[in-house]
Amino acid sequence: MKVTAAVATGKGSPFTIKDLELEDPRPGEVQVRMVASGVCHTDASVREEWYPTLMPAVLGHEGAGVVERTGPGVTSVALGDHVVLSYSSCGGCASCVSGHPAYCAQFFPLNFFSHRPDGSVSFSDHGKPVGSHFFGQSAFSTVSNVPERNVIKVPTSVPLELLGPIGCSVQTGAGAVLNVLAPEAGSSIVIFGTGAVGMSALLAAKVANTSTIIAVDVIDERLSLAKELGATHVINALTEDTVARIKEITEGGVDYAVDSTGNKAVFRNMIDALGTRGHAALVGLASPGTEGTIDIGTTILTGAKISLVIEGDTVPQTFIPKLVSLYQDGRFPFDKLITSYPFSDINTAFEHARTGTALKPVVVF
């Protein structure tokens, strides 16, 4: 069938909107007509060839849409179901079977290689193969074939135009707090970086009933939104000594911390801001080769714990419905993070993500 997709061709090139051929779904695959897809830093990083990915390729890994067809053997969804798409995992390795599919032994090839495990792809351009199955989705296409394991059924009462980012950015920030840090009610937490991932962590900290929520960024408009969403304190890192201010607010050091930036200087600040037996989570993506340092001579005396977190350490099939339910209850207003763009304006959406003009751009088909 004919589809329209945003094709990445390599470093320095914008996405090209093209008509492609999409083959029928294979056994175990679900054909999804996309309604919306979030724009994420990971897509931009892959387009810039930080990681080895088959090019040209259809990227996109925060899709939401409607089931149009199912391949043989699919049982969890049916024609017309509303679905959110999340990351790929094999389902059979030790991490997957123990409830930690984000650390799947095959995570990198399944999510970044832009082809099926057998090397085949779903898309073609006048007979030439175009990479598909990016994060199992390739959601920057009007229709895409997706492994059943990537698909999570959601209520039809929640607009799909809002739900794309919940499959990656939102669950990454929220999962880091609720699944990994698991802060006690009344504890303190600092969020470094108030983009979509950081704001989702902030919303989760509210759900967890932390009493002190500190947001750190360099953009005043984002800090104002953080206050609106529940931050008790905000710090502009350009104008204040971040670590000193955090220790002042928390009277010695923070209980929990999240770094959503992947910046090595911010990572160091996060560790230095921890109190005794504090727990920090790094979720921000950095380019390969980035190194962060800490003062192990001092930090060891605090008993601090540092977790490196992928995709919020979630099981998407259970965690995403939980977040949707919290949203329906008015306790997780992630919709306030979203700015919508027509699919044809995908390059503008990426530019606005890069400059910080939009917190969470979402392209709508």
Side-chain angles (χ1 to χ4, degrees), residues 251-268:
E251 299 182 355
V254 71
D255 297 321
Y256 299 96
V258 175
D259 174 17
S260 67
T261 70
N263 180 293
K264 62 183 182 181
V266 175
F267 174 76
R268 175 61 184 265

Side-chain angles (χ1 to χ4, degrees), residues 59-343:
L59 305 181
H61 67 285
E62 292 185 345
V66 180
V67 175
E68 192 155 273
R69 297 176 64 187
T70 57
V74 171
T75 60
S76 63
V77 293
L79 177 67
D81 283 346
H82 285 202
V83 295
V84 164
L85 310 180
S86 194
Y87 64 88
S88 277
S89 58
C90 74
C93 69
S95 293
C96 285
V97 300
S98 63
H100 300 279
Y103 305 103
C104 172
Q106 297 299 312
F107 186 91
F108 197 84
L110 286 175
N111 289 283
F112 284 91
F113 281 5
S114 291
H115 56 66
R116 297 185 181 96
D118 67 2
S120 64
V121 296
S122 287
F123 298 114
S124 62
D125 181 11
H126 296 92
K128 297 179 180 180
V130 175
S132 65
H133 290 73
F134 180 71
F135 272 70
Q137 304 176 33
S138 290
F140 292 157
S141 174
T142 51
V143 185
S144 194
N145 293 335
V146 182
E148 183 179 14
R149 188 169 170 82
N150 288 71
V151 176
I152 301 96
K153 184 177 177 180
V154 293
T156 58
S157 56
V158 182
L160 285 168
E161 290 82 358
L162 300 177
L163 289 181
I166 208 168
C168 183
S169 299
V170 174
Q171 79 167 353
T172 293
V177 173
L178 298 177
N179 297 335
V180 179
L181 298 180
E184 303 86 2
S187 58
S188 60
I189 188 169
V190 59
I191 314 295
F192 288 89
T194 55
V197 174
M199 288 292 201
S200 298
L202 188 155
L203 293 174
K206 283 285 291 181
V207 170
N209 294 315
T210 56
S211 61
T212 302
I213 303 174
I214 307 166
V216 181
D217 208 299
V218 296
I219 302 174
D220 284 331
E221 292 80 5
R222 289 190 174 187
L223 292 173
S224 295
L225 179 60
K227 287 281 284 186
E228 179 185 331
L229 295 178
T232 58
H233 303 78
V234 296
I235 299 172
N236 188 317
L238 293 179
T239 59
E240 295 188 73
D241 183 326
T242 303
V243 174
R245 179 66 179 127
I246 292 169
K247 289 189 172 183
E248 177 187 356
I249 293 167
T250 57
E251 299 182 355
V254 71
D255 297 321
Y256 299 96
V258 175
D259 174 17
S260 67
T261 70
N263 180 293
K264 62 183 182 181
V266 175
F267 174 76
R268 175 61 184 265
N269 283 343
M270 175 176 69
I271 304 307
D272 290 347
L274 289 175
T276 301
R277 300 187 68 230
H279 188 177
L282 172 65
V283 301
L285 181 68
S287 61
T290 301
E291 297 182 356
T293 62
I294 63 173
D295 181 348
I296 60 174
T298 300
T299 305
I300 193 173
L301 301 176
T302 70
K305 182 178 180 180
I306 304 170
S307 295
L308 309 181
V309 184
I310 296 294
E311 294 286 354
D313 195 9
T314 69
V315 177
Q317 286 74 14
T318 57
F319 192 69
I320 287 174
K322 176 180 178 179
L323 293 182
V324 172
S325 179
L326 287 168
Y327 169 73
Q328 290 178 304
D329 290 343
R331 299 177 60 200
F332 194 80
F334 73 94
D335 57 312
K336 294 185 179 181
L337 313 179
I338 292 173
T339 302
S340 297
Y341 297 77
F343 178 58

